[in-house]
Amino acid sequence: MSEVYTFGIKSGQPTALINITNEVQNVIKDSGIKAGICVIFAPHTSAGITLNENTDQDVIRDFVMETNKIVPISDGYHHIEGNSAAHIKSSIVGVSQTLIIDDGRLLLGTWQGIYFADFDGPRIRKVYVKIIEG
Amino acid sequence: MSEVYTFGIKSGQPTALINITNEVQNVIKDSGIKAGICVIFAPHTSAGITLNENTDQDVIRDFVMETNKIVPISDGYHHIEGNSAAHIKSSIVGVSQTLIIDDGRLLLGTWQGIYFADFDGPRIRKVYVKIIEG
Amino acid sequence: MSEVYTFGIKSGQPTALINITNEVQNVIKDSGIKAGICVIFAPHTSAGITLNENTDQDVIRDFVMETNKIVPISDGYHHIEGNSAAHIKSSIVGVSQTLIIDDGRLLLGTWQGIYFADFDGPRIRKVYVKIIEG
């Protein structure tokens, strides 16, 4: 019960949304827990966890394009590492999601997938998953 | 304990924020659980769950107006269904909220209400509520 | 187990991000709980809770500057109190975070700090913390 599950992912572009639904479903399946909630957490300040459409990749492409318009890569920022836009997107999208487990699986809508959003790739990143039974 | 509660809602406009505070409070009341947390989850990719002012409806009107400026309905998107703005707003606002239950009720600030945000209405939508006692 | 922990904070500027990581870590330490999750909740409609870089204060300065560009303080809003931008930012950032407790401490990335974001300061504000063991 008190375990924290971890898996790694690798992003290939400066902004990359990676579908991690299967990884999280497998964590839940392996835990044997049938009902409860799970917290999916990115221990990073220039990435996020979000849910969005799992079918047409143009939704993800549009998300990347539009968030780069909303939070431009360069915009007179002061942070010397040059990745302020990634930090800001991280706070807008959020670094965790809390989902429902039912019947041994994540309870998701038909079109929902879970994405790790790397806003400052390419990098190797980590995801933590914590399950609470109930 | 292991139950997931569900209720339906119907939005009447393209962008509609519907106050679901009473529905969620009733779920908690009916459960009989006095202390814990609850996850409110929208199984949709063009909607969200958010908390905001429960009194002056102009706050909600301003939220709708301004988010339409931040994420315009048309902006050179590629997704063929034409609702990319709704998908992007869903990821910005988030599809779930995790709240505290205390003394048999949601612990909210005086001015806080829970809203289902339909960014691609009018539609019939679903909300899941999961309670963890503790 | 059924307790809700509360602490107060005071913001000094119209927009202020206040690092509350130590306050939350102390709540967890005092609870004696070694594993589980915790919900950090702001009972306010013009504030938020977010995670971001804990070292270079320019990240926070850039966040404040850029979110003021994305959601301008004045933009033809209708809400008579004049703080619509703060309400909108609150829904974008979110009023709560659910984090993992491991080994008696919050499980955070090296660079992650927890911030109370006051978008309508200066004010005296409250934070609720609820711990679920598991």
Side-chain angles (χ1 to χ4, degrees):
Chain A
M1 245 318 254
S2 67
E3 198 172 344
V4 178
Y5 302 87
T6 309
F7 59 88
I9 47 176
K10 198 180 164 183
S11 60
Q13 301 92 42
T15 307
L17 270 78
I18 298 161
N19 191 324
I20 59 170
T21 315
N22 288 342
E23 283 83 347
V24 181
Q25 292 282 24
N26 286 338
V27 163
I28 292 162
K29 196 177 157 191
D30 292 351
S31 77
I33 287 171
K34 296 302 175 199
I37 62 173
C38 98
V39 178
I40 306 158
F41 182 77
H44 305 290
T45 59
S46 55
I49 307 282
T50 190
L51 276 76
N52 221 310
E53 156 133 4
N54 56 18
T55 304
D56 180 4
Q57 281 303 302
D58 276 345
V59 171
I60 301 310
R61 186 180 168 198
D62 288 342
F63 175 86
V64 170
M65 178 194 77
E66 190 66 17
T67 50
N68 282 335
K69 282 194 196 179
I70 296 167
V71 188
I73 298 291
S74 297
D75 204 16
Y77 302 119
H78 298 90
H79 180 45
I80 203 159
E81 290 181 42
N83 62 350
S84 274
H87 286 293
I88 295 161
K89 289 178 196 165
S90 175
S91 273
I92 289 175
V93 166
V95 294
S96 81
Q97 294 288 334
T98 305
L99 304 179
I100 298 168
I101 301 168
D102 189 47
D103 204 17
R105 292 179 59 78
L106 287 176
L107 187 59
L108 295 173
T110 311
W111 309 107
Q112 281 181 316
I114 309 165
Y115 288 89
F116 182 96
D118 196 336
F119 298 120
D120 194 29
R123 289 197 196 217
I124 292 170
R125 301 287 204 170
K126 265 197 303 196
V127 178
Y128 295 135
V129 180
K130 174 78 186 182
I131 300 173
I132 300 286
E133 203 169 2
Chain B
M1 243 318 251
S2 66
E3 198 172 344
V4 178
Y5 302 87
T6 309
F7 60 88
I9 46 174
K10 197 179 165 184
S11 61
Q13 302 92 40
T15 307
L17 271 77
I18 298 161
N19 192 325
I20 59 170
T21 315
N22 288 343
E23 284 83 346
V24 181
Q25 291 282 24
N26 286 339
V27 164
I28 291 161
K29 196 177 158 193
D30 293 349
S31 78
I33 288 171
K34 296 301 176 199
I37 61 173
C38 97
V39 177
I40 305 158
F41 182 76
H44 305 290
T45 59
S46 54
I49 306 283
T50 190
L51 277 74
N52 221 310
E53 156 133 4
N54 57 16
T55 304
D56 180 3
Q57 281 301 303
D58 277 343
V59 171
I60 301 309
R61 185 180 169 198
D62 289 343
F63 175 87
V64 171
M65 178 195 77
E66 190 66 16
T67 51
N68 281 335
K69 283 194 198 181
I70 296 167
V71 188
I73 297 293
S74 296
D75 205 15
Y77 302 119
H78 298 89
H79 180 46
I80 204 159
E81 289 181 43
N83 62 350
S84 274
H87 286 293
I88 294 161
K89 288 178 196 164
S90 174
S91 273
I92 289 175
V93 166
V95 293
S96 81
Q97 294 289 335
T98 305
L99 304 180
I100 299 169
I101 300 168
D102 189 47
D103 203 17
R105 291 180 59 80
L106 287 176
L107 188 58
L108 295 173
T110 311
W111 309 106
Q112 281 182 316
I114 310 166
Y115 288 89
F116 182 95
D118 197 336
F119 297 121
D120 192 30
R123 289 195 196 218
I124 291 170
R125 303 286 205 172
K126 265 197 303 196
V127 177
Y128 295 135
V129 179
K130 173 78 186 180
I131 300 172
I132 299 286
E133 202 168 4
Chain C
M1 244 316 253
S2 67
E3 198 172 344
V4 177
Y5 302 87
T6 308
F7 60 89
I9 47 176
K10 198 178 165 184
S11 60
Q13 303 92 39
T15 306
L17 271 77
I18 298 161
N19 192 325
I20 58 169
T21 315
N22 288 342
E23 282 84 347
V24 181
Q25 292 282 24
N26 286 339
V27 164
I28 292 162
K29 196 177 159 194
D30 292 349
S31 77
I33 287 171
K34 296 302 175 197
I37 61 174
C38 96
V39 177
I40 305 157
F41 182 77
H44 304 290
T45 59
S46 55
I49 306 282
T50 190
L51 277 75
N52 221 311
E53 156 132 5
N54 55 17
T55 304
D56 180 5
Q57 281 302 301
D58 276 345
V59 170
I60 301 309
R61 186 181 168 197
D62 288 343
F63 175 87
V64 170
M65 178 195 77
E66 190 66 17
T67 51
N68 281 335
K69 282 194 197 180
I70 296 168
V71 188
I73 296 293
S74 296
D75 204 16
Y77 304 118
H78 298 89
H79 181 45
I80 203 159
E81 288 182 44
N83 62 349
S84 274
H87 286 293
I88 295 161
K89 289 178 195 164
S90 174
S91 273
I92 289 175
V93 165
V95 293
S96 81
Q97 294 288 335
T98 304
L99 303 179
I100 299 169
I101 301 168
D102 190 46
D103 204 17
R105 290 179 60 78
L106 287 175
L107 187 59
L108 295 173
T110 311
W111 309 106
Q112 282 181 316
I114 309 165
Y115 288 89
F116 183 96
D118 196 335
F119 297 120
D120 193 31
R123 288 194 197 220
I124 292 170
R125 301 287 205 172
K126 265 197 303 194
V127 177
Y128 294 135
V129 180
K130 174 78 186 180
I131 299 174
I132 301 285
E133 201 168 5

